[in-house]
């Protein structure tokens, strides 16, 4: 392996990080006429004021200190239920509204099972830093109850001297504000919003549409520069419905308003797509794996439509004989495009490698690592899915590659690799 500097910090699952989520009842009763949600609302409306006060007090004692603006969340949920059931707000007191809202919410531990498969980009705010330090934003795949994946974020500082420091997490995690789709079928583009008073590290993006219902998986973020100089954060991820998968595109300028757009075309039926950070030769380019085994280079005039590409790489070395895939968007360095890859070998062991592509014609391979640059060793072999290291993106920091990476689908580690040594190791 390439000589690397492994940072001692590790991120692991944390069941104490919880958010308030909508609790969805089965809307129709078995007789097809009665409405379970309406019966629940009527039961609360029938309570006397003293019971309302006592019940709400119990709820607040248990949950108000664990969440951000809990009463406001309950009131918002109450209004959603009223709109869904076509109920009037008239005459319903504030405490009664809060209690009804509480019955249609639940607490969800979004990272109780695992944190894994990170990607990383420069933070939108680079003020107040010296020239050797970069403020970074890292996305994480957070896995909670039911093995449902959501997208979490962490902010930090990385320096050219191989130092790395994560910013403290806020005391409360908050779900991004999403459209309420109770009883409404919507599989088109949606926009979610970061809560006004929360920072990025405290924001979690949950599945919203039916296509996403069982998870948002493996976001691959890139800091994209358009031809007119405008910059945008773009990321591909896998939407999983519980039965089908498809690739979708996340796009945002500031991580306050975040658009989530389904992608079309034959290539979008697959997972593991990674976008180049700028156009090449006037078109968008993407790395993908269309056949479950090999890497392909895709080309499109439309960011949201991707059809079959041309073969780029096939498994060559024993540590990748089963299959190969990308490990995040290509990174532009002096020698060309550095593409991190993963390979799967004997006993389904995942390792990370790298390939160098021509800057002007990325269909040309200039070199690739014959051996892994990172692989699971010693205690890192143990986890929810053993013998796996995996990343969804790294970035250049000075003369080094800074790479956060998932460990056995259970935790996240960090490594610095000298770019010169990495390129020299390629054959």
């Amino acid at each position: 392996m390439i000589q690397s500097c492994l940072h001692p910090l590790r991120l692991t699952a944390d069941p104490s990080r919880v958010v308030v989520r909508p609790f969805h009842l089965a809307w129709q009763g078995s007789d097809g006429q009665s409405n379970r949600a309406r019966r629940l609302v009527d039961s609360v409306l029938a309570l006397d004021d003293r019971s309302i006060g006592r019940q709400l007090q119990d709820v607040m004692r248990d949950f108000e200190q664990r969440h951000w603006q809990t009463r406001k969340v309950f009131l918002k949920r109450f209004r959603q239920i009223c709109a869904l059931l076509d109920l009037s707000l008239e005459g319903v007191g504030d405490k009664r509204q809060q209690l009804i809202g509480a019955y249609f919410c639940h607490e969800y531990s979004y990272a109780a099972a695992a944190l894994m498969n990170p990607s990383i980009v420069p933070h939108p705010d680079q003020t107040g830093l010296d020239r050797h330090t970069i403020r970074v934003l890292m996305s994480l795949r957070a896995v909670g109850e039911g093995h449902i994946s959501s997208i979490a974020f962490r902010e930090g500082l990385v320096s050219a001297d191989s130092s790395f420091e994560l910013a403290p997490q806020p005391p409360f995690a908050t779900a991004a504000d999403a459209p309420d789709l109770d009883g409404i079928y919507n599989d088109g583009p949606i926009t979610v919003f970061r809560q006004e008073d929360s920072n990025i590290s405290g924001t979690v993006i949950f599945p919203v549409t039916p296509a996403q219902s069982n998870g948002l998986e493996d976001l691959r973020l890139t800091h994209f520069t358009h031809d007119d100089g405008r910059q945008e954060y773009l990321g591909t991820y896998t939407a999983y419905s519980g039965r089908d998968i498809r690739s979708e595109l996340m796009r945002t300028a500031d991580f306050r308003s975040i658009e989530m757009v389904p992608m079309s075309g034959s290539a979008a039926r697959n997972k593991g797509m990674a976008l180049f950070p700028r156009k090449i030769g006037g078109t968008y380019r993407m790395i993908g794996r269309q056949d479950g085994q090999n890497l392909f280079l895709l080309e499109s005039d439309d960011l949201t439509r991707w059809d079959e590409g041309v073969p780029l790489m096939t498994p060559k070395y024993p540590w990748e004989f089963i299959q190969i895939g990308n490990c995040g968007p290509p990174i532009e360095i002096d020698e060309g495009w550095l593409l991190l890859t993963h390979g799967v070998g004997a006993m389904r062991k995942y390792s990370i490698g790298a390939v160098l592509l021509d800057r002007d014609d990325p269909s040309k391979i200039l070199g690739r690592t014959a051996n892994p640059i990172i692989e699971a060793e010693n205690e890192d072999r143990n986890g929810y899915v053993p013998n796996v290291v995996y990343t969804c993106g790294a970035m250049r920091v000075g003369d080094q590659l800074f790479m956060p990476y998932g460990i056995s689908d259970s935790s996240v580690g960090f490594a610095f690799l000298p770019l010169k040594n990495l390129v020299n190791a390629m054959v």
Side-chain angles (χ1 to χ4, degrees):
M1 290 191 298
I2 305 298
Q3 184 63 39
S4 60
C5 174
L6 301 182
H7 196 278
L9 178 65
R10 291 290 171 90
L11 297 181
T12 58
D14 184 358
S16 71
R17 299 294 292 179
V18 290
V19 296
V20 177
R21 296 280 292 140
F23 175 53
H24 301 283
L25 290 169
W27 296 120
Q28 296 298 322
S30 58
D31 60 2
Q33 300 294 325
S34 60
N35 189 296
R36 188 179 175 192
R38 179 59 188 261
R39 289 201 304 268
L40 177 55
V41 172
D42 289 342
S43 295
V44 180
L45 290 175
L47 293 175
D48 59 53
D49 290 346
R50 184 176 179 181
S51 296
I52 290 290
R54 186 169 59 249
Q55 294 299 320
L56 184 61
Q57 184 179 30
D58 289 346
V59 170
M60 291 304 175
R61 182 192 62 231
D62 288 342
F63 297 103
E64 189 167 26
Q65 299 304 313
R66 290 164 65 90
H67 299 285
W68 175 81
Q69 298 188 359
T70 311
R71 295 175 186 270
K72 181 178 179 181
V73 172
F74 290 165
L75 289 171
K76 177 182 177 182
R77 186 64 177 141
F78 169 76
R79 290 191 293 270
Q80 291 174 344
I81 295 302
C82 285
L84 178 70
L85 301 179
D86 195 25
L87 296 175
S88 172
L89 300 174
E90 187 176 351
V92 182
D94 185 75
K95 290 185 178 180
R96 203 173 295 267
Q97 291 183 25
Q98 292 177 45
L99 186 58
I100 291 173
Y103 273 101
F104 289 89
C105 291
H106 72 124
E107 195 173 66
Y108 184 77
S109 180
Y110 63 89
L115 279 175
M116 57 186 181
N117 300 358
S119 69
I120 194 164
V121 289
H123 195 284
D125 178 13
Q126 295 295 325
T127 59
L129 302 176
D130 63 59
R131 62 188 182 91
H132 302 293
T133 304
I134 300 175
R135 184 172 289 113
V136 295
L137 177 62
M138 179 171 60
S139 71
L140 298 154
R141 178 177 171 185
V143 184
E145 178 186 349
H147 199 74
I148 293 176
S149 298
S150 56
I151 299 169
F153 300 96
R154 290 296 301 269
E155 298 158 282
L157 297 174
V158 182
S159 297
D161 63 358
S162 301
S163 64
F164 172 56
E165 180 181 356
L166 276 179
Q169 289 190 107
F172 303 125
T174 57
D177 196 7
D180 178 42
L181 299 182
D182 274 324
I184 303 172
Y185 185 86
N186 181 348
D187 241 355
I190 60 168
T191 301
V192 300
F193 300 90
R194 176 154 57 99
Q195 299 288 349
E196 184 178 356
D197 298 325
S198 65
N199 61 21
I200 305 176
S201 288
T203 299
V204 186
I205 300 176
F206 286 98
V208 181
T209 68
Q212 303 169 353
S213 57
N214 271 56
L216 305 172
E217 302 178 357
D218 299 344
L219 175 63
R220 288 161 161 83
L221 278 175
T222 188
H223 191 201
F224 192 92
T225 302
H226 292 274
D227 287 346
D228 60 4
R230 179 172 54 91
Q231 297 189 340
E232 186 178 17
Y233 293 91
L234 301 176
T236 56
Y237 60 92
T238 301
Y240 178 47
S241 69
R243 184 185 65 182
D244 301 313
I245 62 168
R246 75 179 184 195
S247 287
E248 297 188 349
L249 181 72
M250 175 183 291
R251 57 191 314 172
T252 180
D254 54 9
F255 291 91
R256 288 198 172 275
S257 171
I258 301 169
E259 190 176 8
M260 306 175 78
V261 185
M263 293 195 292
S264 62
S266 55
R269 294 193 298 266
N270 301 285
K271 58 170 63 178
M273 301 176 72
L275 184 68
F276 282 74
R278 61 174 175 83
K279 283 184 174 181
I280 302 173
T283 61
Y284 301 106
R285 304 293 180 99
M286 187 92 79
I287 299 292
R289 190 178 65 201
Q290 272 48 75
D291 60 1
Q293 180 180 355
N294 306 293
L295 279 177
F296 288 72
L297 178 65
L298 315 178
E299 185 175 0
S300 178
D301 293 320
D302 184 344
L303 269 173
T304 62
R305 181 173 182 86
W306 297 89
D307 290 304
E308 299 298 328
V310 296
L312 179 66
M313 284 178 59
T314 61
K316 182 177 181 180
Y317 301 107
W319 59 275
E320 57 183 15
F321 273 175
I322 292 179
Q323 69 185 47
I324 56 175
N326 76 72
C327 268
I331 302 162
E332 193 164 12
I333 61 175
D334 296 342
E335 293 83 358
W337 294 106
L338 177 65
L339 174 67
L340 296 177
T341 65
H342 72 260
V344 184
M347 290 294 291
R348 198 176 173 266
K349 180 179 180 180
Y350 275 67
S351 304
I352 297 174
V355 60
L356 185 67
L357 307 177
D358 185 83
R359 186 191 307 275
D360 299 319
D361 183 2
S363 67
K364 295 180 180 178
I365 297 176
L366 305 182
R368 63 193 286 185
T369 54
N371 298 296
I373 60 175
I374 295 283
E375 61 182 345
E377 295 182 310
N378 304 321
E379 66 275 7
D380 287 350
R381 294 181 55 207
N382 302 319
Y384 184 62
V385 180
N387 305 304
V388 171
V389 290
Y390 194 90
T391 184
C392 288
M395 63 180 290
R396 179 177 183 172
V397 180
D399 295 328
Q400 299 194 84
L401 181 73
F402 177 62
M403 180 174 64
Y405 62 99
I407 300 168
S408 295
D409 277 11
S410 298
S411 61
V412 173
F414 305 90
F416 289 88
L417 298 95
L419 284 169
K420 181 178 180 181
N421 293 355
L422 187 55
V423 172
N424 289 342
M426 295 183 181
V427 294

